[in-house]
């Protein structure tokens, strides 16, 4: 197709896009839902045509015209999402839970990778006195149960300890995430290693007959903390698996998409780790009864999981997967434009 025919065939849609853009900019909320979908569709089409025109016709006037059309529509689409508050709200209401929900199968595998070694190592060591000596001799284990394990949560001022916990948790999660690049196997290994460590500590308390004390110190913060570690590991696994099974995408495209989605998960987990760190610093070592501390941890975990399921499932129904490009798909544009 020559340039004249290209202009004749496509200029009417560009004019319509200009018209809708002006209406959306001058009279916010005046577009009907169908007009919003039309605006988004024309915007996507014009964006593709801009790339095509640059490479095919190399006409400066056409490139300038299409750039202006696309830029105007883009400004209209994102005008209302420019504030920090609205962007943050959308991140936690849509992007983060959508990304986690999309990774739910990897989350299931990551959960198994953490919990199965925990159970196997814990029960095996608890039933094998000779193997338990590798954890420590009887005197060291007794000190661990009676003093060291609980003393860890009171090693300094609560605010300072919370910061240390946050940094440590982020480091562990980031390691579990980055290790996923090795075809997902690295994330599984990191999760299994941490699960085995927790299992070893559990075994020491089982043998000492102090399981109640162990769970009372682990569950208040540990449920939320370990869930976040699992999610980070799942994001890493998805990243590595995209290289193994990219589906109908090229490996480069699949890896890029999963990397963008996994970054959303990691950013969302920062707030989760902050909350877990606060609980570990202020609730876990508090003089509250064990039942109250455990109940608090269970309630926070239940609220977090319920949030991920409810918001993640709703986002999935709208076709969202945690990618920024989701904002330009069909009915989602109505939320972007607040209409």
């Amino acid at each position: 197709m020559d340039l004249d025919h290209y202009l004749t065939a496509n200029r009417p849609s560009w004019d319509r896009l200009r018209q809708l853009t002006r209406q959306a900019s001058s009279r916010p909320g005046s577009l009907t839902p169908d007009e919003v979908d039309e605006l988004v569709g024309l915007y996507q089409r014009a964006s593709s045509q801009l790339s095509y025109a640059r490479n095919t016709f190399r006409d400066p006037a056409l490139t300038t015209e299409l750039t202006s059309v696309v830029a105007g529509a883009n400004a209209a689409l994102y005008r209302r999402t420019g504030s920090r508050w609205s962007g943050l709200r959308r991140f936690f209401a849509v992007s983060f839970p959508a990304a986690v929900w999309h990774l739910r199968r990897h989350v299931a595998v990551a959960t198994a990778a953490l919990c199965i070694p925990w159970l196997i190592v814990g029960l095996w060591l608890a039933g094998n006195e000779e193997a338990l000596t590798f954890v420590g001799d009887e005197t060291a284990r007794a000190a661990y149960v009676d003093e060291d394990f609980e003393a860890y949560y009171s090693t300094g001022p609560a605010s300072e300890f919370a910061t240390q916990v946050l940094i440590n948790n982020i480091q562990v999660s980031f390691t579990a995430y980055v290790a996923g690049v090795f075809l997902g196997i690295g994330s599984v290994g990191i999760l299994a290693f941490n699960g085995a460590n927790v299992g070893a500590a559990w075994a020491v308390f089982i043998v000492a007959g102090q399981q109640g004390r162990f769970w009372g110190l682990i569950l208040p913060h540990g449920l939320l903390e370990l869930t976040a570690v699992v999610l980070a590991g799942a994001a890493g696994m998805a990243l590595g698996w995209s290289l193994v099974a990219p589906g109908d995408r090229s490996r480069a495209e699949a890896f890029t998409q999963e990397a963008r989605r996994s970054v959303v998960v990691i950013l969302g987990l920062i707030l989760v780790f902050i909350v877990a760190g606060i609980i570990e610093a202020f609730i876990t070592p508090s003089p509250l009864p064990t039942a109250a501390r455990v109940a608090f941890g269970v309630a926070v975990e239940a609220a977090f999981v319920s949030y991920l399921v409810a918001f993640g499932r709703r986002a999935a129904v709208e076709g969202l997967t945690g990618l920024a490009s989701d904002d330009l798909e069909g009915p989602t544009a109505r939320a972007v434009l607040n209409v």
Side-chain angles (χ1 to χ4, degrees):
M1 180 182 292
D2 61 31
L3 179 57
D4 290 336
H5 283 91
Y6 186 79
L7 293 174
T8 301
N10 293 295
R11 179 155 282 136
S13 66
W14 303 340
D15 291 338
R16 174 60 175 165
L17 180 56
R18 287 192 187 95
Q19 178 187 351
L20 292 171
T21 298
R22 285 194 298 269
Q23 183 177 342
S25 301
S26 61
R27 289 181 292 155
S30 63
L31 296 182
T32 66
D34 287 340
E35 287 174 329
V36 172
D37 285 341
E38 183 184 6
L39 170 59
V40 174
L42 291 173
Y43 167 74
Q44 291 177 312
R45 182 180 176 185
S47 297
S48 299
Q49 289 169 335
L50 173 58
S51 178
Y52 175 80
R54 280 173 174 166
N55 296 325
T56 304
F57 299 113
R58 303 181 186 277
D59 182 273
L62 175 58
T63 299
T64 300
E65 178 183 4
L66 268 177
T67 299
S68 175
V69 170
V70 171
N74 182 76
L77 280 170
Y78 289 100
R79 172 178 45 79
R80 291 198 177 186
T81 58
S83 70
R84 291 183 180 180
W85 168 246
S86 62
L88 190 64
R89 181 181 61 185
R90 179 166 179 79
F91 178 84
F92 284 105
V94 179
S95 301
F96 176 56
V100 172
W101 182 261
H102 184 77
L103 300 177
R104 59 191 180 279
R105 292 182 179 85
H106 292 94
V107 172
V109 175
T111 301
L114 177 79
C115 294
I116 291 176
W118 178 341
L119 291 172
I120 291 176
V121 170
L123 296 177
W124 174 62
L125 289 177
N128 190 322
E129 184 68 28
E130 183 178 349
L132 192 61
T133 59
F134 288 102
V135 177
D137 59 32
E138 188 173 349
T139 301
R141 297 199 306 268
Y144 183 71
V145 171
D146 295 335
E147 299 177 7
D148 297 347
F149 192 76
E150 185 171 358
Y152 166 76
Y153 300 103
S154 304
T155 54
S159 58
E160 180 180 332
F161 180 67
T163 301
Q164 294 174 348
V165 168
L166 172 63
I167 294 173
N168 178 71
N169 288 337
I170 289 177
Q171 288 175 338
V172 171
S173 296
F174 188 72
T175 301
Y177 164 64
V178 172
V181 173
F182 300 102
L183 307 182
I185 299 174
S187 294
V188 173
I190 295 295
L191 291 170
F193 176 77
N194 281 276
N197 281 340
V198 178
W202 179 37
V204 172
F205 278 82
I206 292 176
V207 172
Q210 295 285 338
Q211 280 204 74
R213 191 175 189 183
F214 174 79
W215 296 119
L217 292 170
I218 284 290
L219 294 181
H221 66 275
L223 287 171
L224 187 64
E225 182 179 287
L226 292 176
T227 297
V229 171
V230 163
L231 294 180
M237 289 169 55
L239 192 64
W241 190 248
S242 68
L243 298 174
V244 178
D248 57 358
R249 305 165 295 178
S250 67
R251 281 185 169 78
E253 181 183 5
F255 185 84
T256 299
Q257 286 186 350
E258 292 305 331
R260 290 165 54 201
R261 184 180 291 112
S262 63
V263 167
V264 171
V265 175
I266 298 302
L267 289 176
L269 290 179
I270 293 176
L271 178 60
V272 179
F273 281 128
I274 291 174
V275 174
I278 291 173
I279 295 174
E280 188 169 358
F282 292 93
I283 302 298
T284 298
S286 73
L288 291 171
T290 297
R293 288 186 280 115
V294 171
F296 182 85
V298 170
V300 172
E301 171 72 1
F304 180 58
V305 173
S306 298
Y307 148 73
L308 290 177
V309 172
F311 282 78
R313 182 178 292 164
R314 185 176 69 181
V317 169
E318 296 183 4
L320 307 179
T321 64
L323 295 175
S325 58
D326 289 339
D327 287 343
L328 298 178
E329 297 295 334
T332 308
R334 298 172 192 168
V336 176
L337 290 172
N338 293 331
V339 297

